[in-house]
């Protein structure tokens, strides 16, 4: 049986990570947060390990020793021997990540890295979430979803996740503006299912995603 791929994209604060991880747990699938790779690279740049201004795909293959767990029950991210699971969520990384993601050579490398991680995953299916997933990386995935919510709801959700001294607006609106210069994640491409979670609870959103996965299997 071929591996099931569920591709999920959407704006910041739409709940992609938490929803996709929970769906992966319930379906016994792997879970890949592709944004973690961009964040880990931003961390490496800040730590002086990679010079992003001069980077090429070949350089990244050599210099960026990246590893990530696809097990939704045991999630971790490493750069070399350093566990950066928490560090990549720091505000300084969030501020830089869109600039790093805007480098064309970086995106080429990340596309290839994502495909490799999914193809080598020891799961019968993988929930993959992040930028370019439904169009540039897995346009033929069995299930493709654009998960969104109103701006007000996304800001409210993100504000609950952040320390009180960090602006949710910077984390959501500014991030979307920066990312939208590189890829369209607001309008669903042909064949991509739009799932608006504005009026849905977390549990209802998880169920809706699972239903879309099951429907795709049966079609």
């Amino acid at each position: 049986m071929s591996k099931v791929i569920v591709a999920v994209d959407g704006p910041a604060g739409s709940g992609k990570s938490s929803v996709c991880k929970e769906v992966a747990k319930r379906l016994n699938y792997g879970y890949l947060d592709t944004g973690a790779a961009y964040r880990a690279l931003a961390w490496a740049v800040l730590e002086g390990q990679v010079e992003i201004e001069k980077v090429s795909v070949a350089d990244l293959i050599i210099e960026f020793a990246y590893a990530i767990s696809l097990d939704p029950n045991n999630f971790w991210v490493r750069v070399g021997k350093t566990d950066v699971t928490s560090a990549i969520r720091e505000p300084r990384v969030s501020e830089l990540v869109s600039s790093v993601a805007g480098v064309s050579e970086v995106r080429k490398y990340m596309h290839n890295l994502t495909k490799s991680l999914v193809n080598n995953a020891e799961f019968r299916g993988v929930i993959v979430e992040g930028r370019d997933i439904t169009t540039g990386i897995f346009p033929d995935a069995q299930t493709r979803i654009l998960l969104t919510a109103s701006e007000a709801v996304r800001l409210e959700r993100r504000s609950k996740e952040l320390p009180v001294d960090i602006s949710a607006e910077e984390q959501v609106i500014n991030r979307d503006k920066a990312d939208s210069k590189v890829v369209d994640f607001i309008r669903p491409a042909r064949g991509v299912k739009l799932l608006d979670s504005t009026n849905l609870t977390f549990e209802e959103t998880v169920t809706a995603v699972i239903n879309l996965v099951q429907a795709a299997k049966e079609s």
Side-chain angles (χ1 to χ4, degrees):
M1 179 185 293
S2 61
K3 188 172 296 178
V4 175
I5 298 175
V6 180
V8 182
D9 200 347
S14 59
K16 296 188 301 297
S17 297
S18 54
V19 169
C20 288
K21 186 181 290 186
E22 184 60 27
V23 170
K25 289 178 181 179
R26 298 190 189 185
L27 295 178
N28 292 316
Y29 283 4
Y31 161 71
L32 179 57
D33 173 3
T34 63
Y38 289 99
R39 286 179 169 273
L41 180 55
W43 176 88
V45 171
L46 289 167
E47 293 295 310
Q49 296 184 14
V50 178
E51 291 186 49
I52 203 66
E53 296 84 1
K54 306 173 184 177
V55 79
S56 69
V57 172
D59 293 332
L60 286 170
I61 291 172
I62 297 170
E63 298 176 15
F64 186 45
Y66 178 75
I68 186 171
S69 166
L70 271 70
D71 183 349
N73 295 296
N74 181 30
F75 182 75
W76 50 258
V77 181
R78 297 178 188 139
V79 176
K81 295 181 179 179
T82 304
D83 187 314
V84 296
T85 309
S86 298
I88 62 174
R89 304 299 168 184
E90 294 174 357
R92 65 183 187 128
V93 172
S94 297
E95 290 172 4
L96 183 64
V97 68
S98 289
S99 297
V100 169
V103 178
S104 61
E105 290 297 297
V106 168
R107 300 195 80 79
K108 290 178 186 176
Y109 169 81
M110 293 301 185
H111 284 202
N112 291 333
L113 174 65
T114 300
K115 290 177 181 178
S116 176
L117 287 168
V118 171
N119 291 336
N120 293 315
E122 296 181 353
F123 294 90
R124 60 190 178 91
V126 182
I127 312 291
V128 193
E129 59 99 348
R131 297 286 177 261
D132 298 330
I133 300 303
T134 61
T135 52
I137 304 179
F138 292 116
D140 298 322
Q142 291 90 335
T143 306
R144 294 186 296 154
I145 300 169
L146 182 66
L147 179 60
T148 189
S150 70
E151 185 176 282
V153 167
R154 291 189 289 115
L155 283 169
E156 180 182 2
R157 289 173 180 170
R158 184 54 59 89
S159 66
K160 293 178 180 178
E161 302 170 356
L162 296 171
V164 294
D165 59 338
I166 298 177
S167 168
E169 183 174 357
E170 291 180 2
Q171 293 279 309
V172 173
I173 299 175
N174 293 349
R175 175 71 187 278
D176 282 349
K177 287 180 179 178
D179 287 355
S180 64
K181 295 176 182 178
V182 181
V183 61
D184 185 358
F185 53 88
I186 302 299
R187 295 178 294 272
R190 183 185 296 274
V192 176
K193 303 294 185 182
L194 178 64
L195 176 56
D196 189 333
S197 66
T198 299
N199 298 311
L200 300 179
T201 64
F202 175 77
E203 181 63 29
E204 289 170 336
T205 306
V206 169
T207 299
V209 172
I210 292 175
N211 288 342
L212 288 172
V213 174
Q214 299 294 353
K217 280 184 176 182
E218 296 167 3
S219 61

